[in-house]
């Protein structure tokens, strides 16, 4: 029970703050014609988080992040993806059922991969917090802790997608979602600038 409650609190603590990944998943729920068409982004983000949590618990990410050149490469690629994604979100419009203006599945998957796996801060948070916390447990307790963190992640991303779709029903293709897209794009560009600044820190 302690491991399960710890996993719930820790996972929510990491995933709740506003971030590029959360904004992107919410935006897909709001801009896709229906929930089914937003699933590529949702499933990709959930699977990526599952992978990061498993790597964190088993310590594989710590080994990878020891290589400075690899971290630098991830940050550069991440900046490029964020700049392009910001441009796409800025120009996106809430899609009606008959329109084809929403992101296609391939782009959803690529963008979800980029905001999930090419964000050094997210990787460091997952490894530093979940990875070190998992060291407290062994055997069944560690399995419960890991499974709980993964379950919270999946529930959160599906919840964001549903929330985006709900907002779209209230607003249709009106001004609220268009304004949200603009603010989302600006936030994504600012995140890219912060990553760029950290390269020269």
């Amino acid at each position: 029970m302690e491991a399960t409650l710890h996993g719930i609190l820790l996972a929510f603590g990491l995933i709740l703050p506003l971030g590029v990944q959360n904004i992107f998943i919410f935006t897909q729920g709001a801009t896709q014609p229906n929930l089914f068409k937003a699933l590529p982004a949702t499933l990709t983000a959930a699977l990526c988080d599952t992978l990061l949590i498993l790597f964190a618990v088993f310590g594989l990410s710590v080994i990878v992040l020891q290589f400075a050149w690899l971290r630098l490469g991830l940050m550069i690629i991440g900046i490029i993806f964020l700049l392009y994604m910001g441009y796409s979100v800025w120009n996106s419009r809430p899609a009606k059922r008959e329109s084809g203006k929403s992101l296609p599945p391939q782009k959803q998957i690529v963008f979800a991969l980029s905001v999930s796996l090419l964000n050094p801060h997210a990787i460091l948070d997952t490894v530093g917090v979940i990875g070190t916390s998992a060291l407290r447990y062994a055997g069944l307790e560690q399995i419960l802790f890991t499974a709980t963190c993964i379950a919270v992640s999946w529930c959160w991303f599906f919840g964001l997608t549903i929330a985006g779709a709900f907002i779209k029903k209230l607003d249709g293709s009106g001004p609220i979602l268009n304004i949200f897209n603009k603010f989302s794009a600006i936030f994504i560009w600012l995140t890219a600038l912060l990553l760029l600044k950290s390269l020269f820190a």
Side-chain angles (χ1 to χ4, degrees):
M1 181 62 70
E2 179 189 350
T4 302
L5 290 175
H6 187 197
I8 291 173
L9 293 174
L10 199 63
F12 268 120
L14 284 177
I15 206 169
L16 276 175
L18 185 67
V20 177
Q21 190 184 42
N22 286 344
I23 285 177
F24 177 68
I25 299 303
F26 178 86
T27 302
Q28 290 313 295
T31 57
Q32 293 294 330
N34 54 61
L35 276 175
F36 179 78
K37 289 186 179 294
L39 284 181
T42 308
L43 291 173
T44 302
L47 287 170
C48 287
D49 260 32
T50 300
L51 186 66
L52 286 177
I53 291 169
L54 291 174
F55 277 7
V57 171
F58 294 109
L60 297 179
S61 295
V62 179
I63 299 173
V64 172
L65 290 174
Q66 286 179 349
F67 297 98
W69 62 268
L70 183 56
R71 184 182 175 190
L72 178 64
L74 283 174
M75 292 182 75
I76 292 173
I77 295 172
I79 290 168
I80 295 171
F81 267 114
L82 287 174
L83 291 173
Y84 177 61
M85 197 181 79
Y87 170 79
S88 296
V89 171
W90 179 275
N91 290 295
S92 66
R93 296 289 184 275
K96 297 180 179 178
R97 291 185 180 275
E98 67 273 10
S99 72
K101 295 181 181 179
S102 54
L103 282 180
Q106 297 87 343
K107 278 194 173 183
Q108 286 188 57
I109 292 171
V110 170
F111 285 171
L113 283 170
S114 69
V115 298
S116 301
L117 299 180
L118 298 178
N119 186 346
H121 296 304
I123 295 174
L124 288 171
D125 285 345
T126 305
V127 174
V129 179
I130 292 180
T132 54
S133 297
L135 296 176
R136 294 178 50 185
Y137 306 107
L140 179 60
E141 285 188 336
Q142 190 177 72
I143 293 174
L144 287 173
F145 173 81
T146 307
T148 301
C149 290
I150 292 172
V152 168
S153 174
W154 279 73
C155 290
W156 177 255
F157 287 127
F158 275 95
L160 278 178
T161 308
I162 293 169
F166 179 73
I167 293 297
K168 179 185 177 182
K169 285 184 178 180
L170 294 180
D171 186 51
S173 57
I176 296 177
L177 285 175
N178 287 326
I179 293 172
F180 179 83
N181 282 345
K182 304 303 182 188
F183 277 107
S184 297
I186 292 171
F187 182 88
I188 291 169
W189 285 329
L190 287 174
T191 303
L193 289 176
L194 288 175
L195 278 178
L196 183 63
K197 182 182 177 181
S198 68
L199 289 178
F200 302 97

